[in-house]
């Protein structure tokens, strides 16, 4: 295998007028799960024991083949499986699997207060690694210089520990996580509004390939970015201005639901915005994890979600759920319809 092969393909990109057709491949494979042949991109599932990183489908960048990689399922398979010491809150089978040499109910405990550490993730809950010693974290509103100094579910913005996703649009912030939109520009919490020229676009922000998409900041009104219309994966003439869909005002509600105050992990994992980390660290429930994954998938893969290019395999391959509609109230009913697919998502 030639590691530099991909350099040859930098000319083809999802944004250019050289749009490709994206389609569900027939079945599963252990080889390429994203296969680019001429003007067609086929998307496959990986056979058992293998996983695919589908993120290129949501990226604006050059196309390349992506292959299935082996995955290991550690759950309930205790033996000599952990090559490295495990961080606080991570799974373990025996004491020696953990930095602290303490494995309680299959999760690593961290170093206690004043014990020596290299990184905050090795310390126990509500501690951070300050000058090589695990030290107590600070309460909300106290002074900070880095996020790790603050409690789980908070961040350091404008020199103070502050609850994540709590500031209104227009507030001053130095960390995006402090904003209800999880987005800042010029140190202000902002959302994105989408225009084509001077015309404001409505969902799903359809554009003609070759048109410019203008992404404006909702508070300041300034132009954040002007980029080309992004290909839909089905039509060489029509695309979407969906590159910054993650910062639309609709998404603020999702972040407000994601606020958390507890974590079984420490350091950056206790300040994460990654739903997989938050679920593994016990910060969010399984139903919230699922809700986030389904909704965020639609935003991260905005163009192929809206064009329905992967309508028949998007859910099965855990890329996004084409049928999901985000609603603020927490209800368990949507879980039932998913049935057997649920088990695949972790
Ligand atoms: C992807 O792999 C297939 C063979 O599996 C090959 O024919 C094709 O040229 C490759 N495409 C790219 C862009 O490397
Ligand atoms: C592709 O876009 C053109 C508009 O340029 C439209 O006439 C045609 O119906 C579209 N095709 C599909 C399959 O959506």
């Amino acid at each position: 295998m030639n590691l530099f092969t991909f350099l040859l393909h930098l000319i083809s990109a999802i944004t250019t007028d050289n749009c490709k057709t994206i389609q569900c491949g027939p079945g599963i494979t252990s080889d390429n799960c994203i296969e680019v042949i001429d003007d067609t991109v086929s998307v496959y599932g990986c056979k058992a024991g293998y996983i695919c990183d589908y993120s290129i489908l949501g990226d604006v960048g050059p196309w390349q083949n992506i292959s299935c990689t082996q995955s290991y399922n550690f759950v309930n398979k205790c033996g000599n499986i952990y090559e490295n010491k495990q961080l606080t809150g991570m799974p373990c089978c025996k004491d020696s699997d953990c930095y602290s040499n303490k494995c309680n109910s299959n999760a690593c405990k961290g170093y206690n207060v004043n014990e020596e550490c290299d990184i905050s993730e090795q310390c126990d809950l509500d501690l951070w690694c300050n000058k090589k010693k695990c030290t107590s974290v600070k309460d909300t509103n106290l002074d900070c210089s880095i996020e790790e100094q603050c409690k789980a579910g908070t961040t350091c913005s404008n020199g103070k520990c502050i609850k994540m996703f709590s500031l209104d649009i227009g507030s001053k912030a130095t960390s995006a996580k402090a904003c209800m939109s999880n987005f800042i520009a010029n140190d202000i919490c902002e959302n994105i509004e989408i225009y084509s020229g001077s015309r404001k676009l409505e969902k799903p922000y359809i554009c003609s390939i070759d048109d410019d998409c203008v992404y404006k900041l909702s508070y300041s009104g300034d132009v954040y970015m002007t980029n080309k219309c992004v290909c839909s994966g089905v039509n060489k003439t029509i695309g979407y201005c969906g590159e910054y869909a993650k910062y639309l005002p609709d998404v603020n509600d999702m972040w407000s639901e994601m606020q958390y105050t507890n974590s079984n992990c420490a350091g950056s994992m206790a300040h994460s915005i990654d739903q997989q980390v938050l679920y593994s660290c016990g910060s969010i429930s399984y139903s919230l994890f699922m809700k986030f994954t389904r909704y965020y998938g639609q935003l991260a893969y905005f163009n192929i979600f809206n064009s329905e290019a992967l309508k028949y395999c998007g859910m099965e391959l855990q890329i996004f759920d084409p049928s999901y509609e985000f609603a603020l109230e927490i209800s368990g009913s949507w879980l039932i319809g998913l049935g057997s697919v649920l088990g695949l998502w972790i």
Side-chain angles (χ1 to χ4, degrees):
M1 275 286 148
N2 182 351
L3 281 177
F4 299 100
T5 314
F6 73 92
L7 290 175
L8 300 173
H9 303 287
L10 289 176
I11 11 146
S12 55
I14 198 172
T15 36
T16 66
D17 31 18
N18 179 21
C19 290
K20 293 191 187 300
T21 302
I22 303 174
Q23 63 181 25
C24 294
I28 57 166
T29 180
S30 55
D31 195 14
N32 285 333
C33 48
I34 298 180
E35 188 159 77
V36 185
I37 297 179
D38 300 328
D39 274 344
T40 305
V41 178
S42 301
V43 183
Y44 297 85
C46 295
K47 74 173 191 191
Y50 288 77
I51 50 168
C52 185
D53 177 4
Y54 292 112
S55 57
I56 196 172
L57 294 169
D59 286 346
V60 172
W63 281 111
Q64 63 189 81
N65 285 340
I66 305 286
S67 52
C68 295
T69 52
Q70 226 164 344
S71 75
Y72 297 94
N73 183 5
F74 291 129
V75 182
N76 298 329
K77 278 192 193 159
C78 284
N80 276 331
I81 55 168
Y82 297 109
E83 286 177 21
N84 301 313
K85 295 278 187 185
Q86 299 292 299
L87 299 168
T88 305
M90 293 293 103
C92 53
C93 296
K94 53 188 189 311
D95 287 343
S96 61
D97 290 336
C98 306
Y99 282 104
S100 62
N101 282 312
K102 261 173 262 156
C103 177
N104 288 347
S105 329
N106 292 105
C108 285
K109 228 184 103 47
Y111 292 134
N112 289 321
V113 70
N114 291 330
E115 283 188 311
E116 203 175 306
C117 51
D118 294 313
I119 51 171
S120 295
E121 290 77 11
Q122 297 167 335
C123 295
D124 211 15
L125 314 190
D126 292 330
L127 300 175
W128 70 292
C129 192
N130 181 18
K131 302 184 185 125
K132 298 213 149 235
K133 275 210 159 63
C134 292
T135 309
S136 292
V137 293
K138 298 184 174 197
D139 273 322
T140 315
N141 292 326
L142 294 182
D143 292 347
C144 56
S145 50
I146 55 165
E147 186 178 70
E148 287 172 24
Q149 292 175 297
C150 303
K151 283 177 37 165
T154 66
T155 187
C156 186
S157 181
N158 292 322
K160 301 266 187 221
C161 293
I162 176 170
K163 198 166 173 48
M164 275 155 69
F165 320 125
S166 62
L167 296 178
D168 290 336
I169 302 303
S171 309
K172 274 188 109 26
T174 53
S175 159
K177 287 179 194 176
C179 305
M180 64 190 298
S181 54
N182 187 35
F183 177 56
I184 52 172
N186 307 320
D187 288 348
I188 302 277
C189 296
E190 289 275 13
N191 277 130
I192 284 287
E193 289 175 355
I194 305 176
Y195 289 75
S196 173
S198 59
R199 186 168 54 98
K200 191 170 179 195
L201 298 181
E202 299 297 330
K203 248 185 232 169
Y205 316 105
I206 291 173
C207 48
S208 302
I209 301 299
D210 298 335
D211 277 2
D212 280 340
C213 301
V214 182
Y215 301 96
K216 283 193 184 174
L217 299 171
S218 61
Y219 184 77
S220 73
D222 293 343
V223 172
Y224 177 67
M225 203 66 80
T226 302
N227 287 344
K228 281 265 173 261
C229 181
V230 186
C231 301
S232 66
V234 296
N235 196 320
K236 287 185 196 290
T237 51
I238 295 294
Y240 300 90
C241 294
E243 254 182 283
Y244 297 98
K246 284 187 267 192
Y247 306 131
L248 290 167
D250 297 1
V251 186
N252 301 353
D253 286 342
M254 183 191 73
W255 291 117
S256 76
E257 259 193 56
M258 285 287 279
Q259 290 185 328
Y260 60 94
T261 50
N262 294 308
S263 177
N264 300 327
C265 303
S268 60
M269 288 191 282
H271 303 91
S272 180
I273 56 167
D274 179 322
Q275 80 273 24
Q276 201 100 41
V277 172
L278 294 179
Y279 176 60
S280 331
C281 293
S283 299
I284 59 171
S285 66
Y286 183 66
S287 67
L288 188 53
F289 162 75
M290 283 295 296
K291 189 171 174 173
F292 183 94
T293 303
R294 300 169 92 196
Y295 184 46
Y296 209 65
Q298 294 179 351
L299 299 164
Y301 299 98
F302 192 84
N303 284 37
I304 53 171
F305 160 64
N306 281 289
S307 70
E308 303 192 328
L310 297 182
K311 189 176 180 182
Y312 299 107
C313 63
M315 175 74 177
E316 207 173 44
L317 302 182
Q318 303 167 44
I319 301 171
F320 54 79
D321 177 356
S323 65
Y324 187 58
E325 277 186 51
F326 179 79
L328 195 56
E329 72 275 62
I330 306 219
S331 111
S333 59
W334 52 266
L335 275 170
I336 296 159
L338 269 158
S340 59
V341 184
L342 273 179
L344 291 170
W345 281 75
I346 309 189

